[in-house]
Amino acid sequence: MTGVQTCALPICFPVTIGANEGAITWYDFALAVKEICGYECTVHPVPSSAYAVAARRPRYSILNTDKTELTFHIKIPDWRSSLNDCIRLLQSTTS
């Protein structure tokens, strides 16, 4: 590590990635929301090449959460489980 590490906490933690376990696309995410919520609609996949972005996108990239699990001694749940929990919580607070 280079530079000076400072923080307001007595113990400084490294920068880690916050994501759930499992690899998905935005298309997979939309399909899961549709399924969990019981929506009757059609979801169409859209390739990155179909829209202009300033930065070139990699063909395939996923976030690795191993460092987060090792640093904080936790098991990160699967994305589908967390999405289901989140949607159920949102539904319970809006009904």
Side-chain angles (χ1 to χ4, degrees):
M1 181 195 301
T2 60
V4 178
Q5 182 179 14
T6 62
C7 72
L9 300 173
I11 300 172
C12 292
F13 294 102
V15 174
T16 58
I17 292 172
N20 282 96
E21 283 294 315
I24 67 165
T25 64
W26 283 110
Y27 175 69
D28 296 328
F29 185 78
L31 287 176
V33 169
K34 174 187 169 185
E35 177 187 320
I36 293 168
C37 294
Y39 295 147
E40 292 189 24
C41 61
T42 303
V43 177
H44 300 281
V46 178
S48 297
S49 60
Y51 55 94
V53 291
R56 212 175 58 181
R57 306 297 300 163
R59 293 238 343 115
Y60 180 76
S61 64
I62 59 171
L63 298 176
N64 184 322
T65 58
D66 291 348
K67 182 178 177 182
T68 302
E69 289 187 323
L70 290 171
T71 300
F72 297 105
H73 309 287
I74 59 172
K75 175 64 181 137
I76 297 175
D78 179 71
W79 69 267
R80 185 176 285 275
S81 169
S82 292
L83 176 62
N84 189 58
D85 292 347
C86 180
I87 289 173
R88 296 295 172 233
L89 178 63
L90 290 171
Q91 289 173 333
S92 73
T93 60
T94 57
S95 33

